[in-house]
């Protein structure tokens, strides 16, 4: 290795996530991808071992940086987003639990706490997984609108007010794509088991358009075979009794009402423009409309939140008796407004976020919930994870399948991704355009890409 200094960029105390990826080793110079920015440097001082093994070098660099900064990541040097997929693959290869625990702890340097969490999640997932299943294809549909845009949002979503004159055009384009994709579905799989309506916030559509949207699917897909028909109703200010009635009649089985926090001061800070009372009212309304399976999303590590505030959120949510709670760790992605917001970034705290994540696990366990799906992202405060907990029997199979990548998922709508999973586990993807105007114009082109994706399936 050449003799140069390692330059490490600190961006406040929210940033001790060393997601380190060895990109290339070239002439003794290691190129790393750190926290998503492509940095190139050489390492000396403490000489890395003379290795050509990326994994070993990655482990060495992690230990090196850990000693240098005094920070250890709970997930060690694991950088992938699917810890449970790694474990499920190792089980499928015939390894036992002891071997897998050792592997996580020695190969990736994962903490025992996270190893326990991942192992428990895999145990709960087991009845849902039966290897790659090409007889089934699940569906995802995207409504890229929300009442406003949250400070941390990096999804394809726009404030709906700007597009109110385009909503019918959007639904027309979506219906054309649904019809064409349903024809494709009948060629590549026998049935659909999960239909997930996400976004954005589908319930941000006005009542008339929402009713059209929610009833669109049964025109083209046999929804009698569905094991899950899930609807994101994330923003409580977008929910009305009429929309809930439409959803119930259309066959929706799982609803997500997502407060993120039950602290009004934070809701205001993150640009949600609703309050905790509206969350309570929305859940009450959903129950009155006959929805039994209600998940609520929370975020640990929101700007300005303390563990006490997070505990308050958990306690308020418990009173509403949801069947599931999904706990995300705040992630600061490039496309989020928060990325540029120095004042709000400055109050993030990795140590406190760790306490919140631990508290959520204990709290949900006390509510009789277990973790059934998890994933990690880059740029998470404190480098934790997102976990969905549910009362047994209320797990979301769609969420498990999307992470374990064991079946094809057909995506429609702006920004949706279609993932083709072949019998040998090989995965290929087709990406829809994200911009609304492009989506309205380029339907044929997107369908062509989707059909090409499945051509090898018919050989
Ligand atoms: S509700 Fe979700 S999709 Fe909509 S703006 Fe907020 S984070 Fe983005």
């Amino acid at each position: 290795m050449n003799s140069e200094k390692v330059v490490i960029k600190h961006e406040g105390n929210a940033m001790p996530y060393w997601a380190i990826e060895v990109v290339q080793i070239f002439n003794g110079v290691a190129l790393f991808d750190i926290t998503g920015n492509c940095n190139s440097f050489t390492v000396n001082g403490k000489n890395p071992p003379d290795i050509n093994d990326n994994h070993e070098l990655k482990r060495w660099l992690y230990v090196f940086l850990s000693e240098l900064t005094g920070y250890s990541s709970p997930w060690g040097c694991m950088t992938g987003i699917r810890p449970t997929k790694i474990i499920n693959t190792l089980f499928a290869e015939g390894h036992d639990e002891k071997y897998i625990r050792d592997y996580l702890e020695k190969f990736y340097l994962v903490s025992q706490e996270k190893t326990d969490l991942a192992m428990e999640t895999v145990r709960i997932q087991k009845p849902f997984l039966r290897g790659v299943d090409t007889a089934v294809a699940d569906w995802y549909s995207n409504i890229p609108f929300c009442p406003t845009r949250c400070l941390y949002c990096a999804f394809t979503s726009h404030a709906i007010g700007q597009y109110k004159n385009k909503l019918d055009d959007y639904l027309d384009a979506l219906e054309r794509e649904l019809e064409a994709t349903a024809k494709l579905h009948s060629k590549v799989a026998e049935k659909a088991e999960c239909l997930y309506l996400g976004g954005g916030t589908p319930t941000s559509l006005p009542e008339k358009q929402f009713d059209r949207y929610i009833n669109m699917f049964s025109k083209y897909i046999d929804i009698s075979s569905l094991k899950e028909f899930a609807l994101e109703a994330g923003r409580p200010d977008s929910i009305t009794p009429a929309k809930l009635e439409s959803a119930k009649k259309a066959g929706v089985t799982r609803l997500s009402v997502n407060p993120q926090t039950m602290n009004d001061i934070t809701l205001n800070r993150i640009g949600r423009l609703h309050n905790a009372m509206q969350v309570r009212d929305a859940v009450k309304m959903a129950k009155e409309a006959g929805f039994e399976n209600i998940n609520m999303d929370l975020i640990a590590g929101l700007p300005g939140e303390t563990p006490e505030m997070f505990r308050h959120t958990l306690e308020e949510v418990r009173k509403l008796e949801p069947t599931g709670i999904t706990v995300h760790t705040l992630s600061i992605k490039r496309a989020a407004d928060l990325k540029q917001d120095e004042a709000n970034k400055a109050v993030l705290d990795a140590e406190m976020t760790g306490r919140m994540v631990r508290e959520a696990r204990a709290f949900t366990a006390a509510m009789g919930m277990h973790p059934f799906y998890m994933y990690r992202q880059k740029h998470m405060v404190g480098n934790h994870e997102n976990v969905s907990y549910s009362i047994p029997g209320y797990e979301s199979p769609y969420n498990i399948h999307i992470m374990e990548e064991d079946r094809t998922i057909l995506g429609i709508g702006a920004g949706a991704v279609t993932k083709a999973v072949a019998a040998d586990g090989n995965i290929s993807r087709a990406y829809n355009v994200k911009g609304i105007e492009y989506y309205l114009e380029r339907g044929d082109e997107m369908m062509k890409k989707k059909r090409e994706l499945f051509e090898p399936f018919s050989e």
Side-chain angles (χ1 to χ4, degrees):
M1 288 281 172
N2 293 350
S3 177
E4 298 256 352
K5 275 190 180 159
V6 181
V7 179
I8 301 164
K9 210 171 144 209
H10 282 269
E11 294 183 51
N13 56 3
M15 294 293 163
Y17 47 71
W18 309 110
I20 299 159
E21 203 74 78
V22 176
V23 177
Q24 199 182 2
I25 304 172
F26 183 68
N27 279 349
V29 178
L31 303 181
F32 301 96
D33 181 349
I34 297 191
T35 68
N37 301 314
C38 213
N39 296 303
S40 139
F41 55 84
T42 58
V43 180
N44 207 346
K46 270 192 161 187
N47 277 322
D50 190 15
I51 349 171
N52 287 313
D53 176 339
N54 276 6
H55 283 296
E56 206 171 320
L57 188 53
K58 181 161 92 171
R59 214 167 26 249
W60 178 89
L61 185 68
Y62 167 75
V63 173
F64 171 81
L65 290 173
S66 202
E67 284 171 5
L68 195 74
T69 60
Y71 172 76
S72 297
S73 160
W75 285 97
C77 57
M78 184 186 277
T79 50
I81 67 163
R82 295 181 169 85
T84 48
K85 190 174 180 191
I86 294 173
I87 299 173
N88 278 318
T89 306
L90 289 167
F91 271 126
E93 286 170 2
H95 299 290
D96 64 12
E97 180 167 343
K98 183 174 178 317
Y99 173 92
I100 297 169
R101 282 180 172 276
D102 269 9
Y103 184 78
L104 293 184
E105 287 164 22
K106 297 198 177 113
F107 188 77
Y108 289 113
L109 308 172
V110 176
S111 68
Q112 185 167 349
E113 181 192 8
K114 297 303 182 192
T115 299
D116 288 346
L117 172 64
M119 293 303 289
E120 188 185 356
T121 309
V122 162
R123 189 173 57 77
I124 305 302
Q125 290 180 340
K126 223 172 202 151
F128 295 90
L129 301 175
R130 47 183 189 255
V132 172
D133 189 347
T134 53
V136 171
D138 290 344
W139 282 77
Y140 174 81
S141 172
N142 199 40
I143 292 292
F145 306 111
C146 286
T148 55
R149 191 165 163 85
C150 304
L151 186 64
Y152 51 82
C153 182
F155 296 108
T156 303
S157 187
H158 311 270
I160 194 160
Q162 296 165 11
Y163 286 93
K164 53 178 185 284
N165 297 328
K166 297 258 179 187
L167 296 179
D168 289 321
D169 292 345
Y170 184 81
L171 292 177
D172 289 345
L174 192 76
E175 187 158 358
R176 283 194 296 275
E177 191 185 10
L178 169 59
E179 185 175 10
T181 307
K183 284 183 188 147
L184 190 58
H185 184 181
S186 61
K187 289 187 192 149
V188 302
E190 291 160 25
K191 60 176 180 176
E193 274 190 1
C194 303
L195 167 57
Y196 195 101
L197 310 187
T201 307
T203 43
S204 59
L205 290 169
E207 287 173 355
K208 188 163 152 262
Q209 277 113 338
F210 179 78
D211 189 65
R212 174 184 172 192
Y213 176 60
I214 203 82
N215 286 299
M216 203 183 262
F217 297 90
S218 57
K219 286 162 71 179
Y220 305 100
I221 308 171
D222 176 11
I223 63 165
S224 67
S225 62
L226 293 179
K227 290 188 175 158
E228 179 179 23
F229 184 171
L231 170 67
E232 286 278 350
R235 298 284 283 263
D237 45 341
S238 70
I239 299 173
T240 66
K243 289 182 208 176
L244 289 168
E245 196 187 331
S246 296
K248 191 71 193 158
K249 277 195 191 144
V252 170
T253 57
R254 182 180 193 257
L255 207 63
S256 280
V257 181
N258 304 329
Q260 313 302 0
T261 171
M262 291 295 274
N263 295 296
D264 287 347
I265 190 169
T266 315
L267 285 167
N268 189 39
R269 181 180 292 132
I270 60 178
R272 301 254 313 170
L273 301 193
H274 66 78
N275 57 33
M277 186 52 82
Q278 284 169 285
V279 176
R280 291 183 198 101
D281 290 345
V283 173
K284 189 162 168 270
M285 237 190 282
K287 289 190 173 179
E288 281 167 5
F291 287 98
E292 188 197 352
N293 190 0
I294 301 175
N295 170 74
M296 300 180 78
D297 281 7
L298 308 179
I299 300 179
L302 284 169
E305 289 236 325
T306 61
E308 292 67 36
M309 292 169 83
F310 187 69
R311 170 168 267 270
H312 168 76
T313 294
L314 288 169
E315 278 166 357
E316 287 302 301
V317 165
R318 177 171 55 190
K319 288 181 200 160
L320 299 172
E321 299 183 335
T323 47
I325 297 180
T326 300
V327 182
H328 294 93
T329 302
L330 183 69
S331 158
I332 310 161
K333 299 200 192 124
R334 250 195 307 263
D337 294 343
L338 180 57
K339 179 81 181 155
Q340 317 303 334
D341 188 332
E342 296 305 327
N344 275 314
K345 270 193 337 196
V347 293
L348 302 175
D349 190 310
E351 196 271 322
M352 282 207 280
T353 303
R355 284 167 55 194
M356 295 176 195
V357 168
R358 269 189 289 280
E359 170 118 41
R361 178 146 157 73
F363 206 93
T364 50
M367 288 172 74
M369 294 184 179
H370 56 200
F372 67 88
Y373 120 98
M374 69 183 309
Y375 66 100
R376 302 178 57 228
Q377 290 170 288
K378 284 184 177 176
H379 314 309
M380 291 178 120
V381 179
N383 197 17
H384 291 279
E385 65 284 315
N386 302 325
V387 191
S388 239
Y389 300 93
S390 81
I391 301 282
Y394 291 94
E395 301 83 4
S396 161
Y398 175 84
N399 282 324
I400 295 173
H401 294 305
I402 197 160
M403 268 315 128
E404 300 311 312
E405 304 191 296
D406 59 343
R407 59 175 58 172
T408 286
I409 296 189
L410 298 161
I412 60 170
V417 180
T418 292
K419 180 160 63 177
V421 180
D424 62 2
N426 193 35
I427 297 170
S428 42
R429 294 177 174 81
Y431 297 87
N432 277 5
V433 294
K434 291 186 175 174
I436 306 296
E437 281 77 13
Y438 293 131
Y439 179 73
L440 299 182
E441 287 163 9
R442 292 166 59 180
D444 290 346
E445 183 194 320
M446 287 183 290
M447 271 318 298
K448 183 167 173 285
K449 276 204 285 182
K450 257 196 262 194
R451 283 190 202 97
E452 285 168 1
L453 201 60
F454 291 98
E455 267 164 20
F457 283 49
S458 51
E459 280 167 4

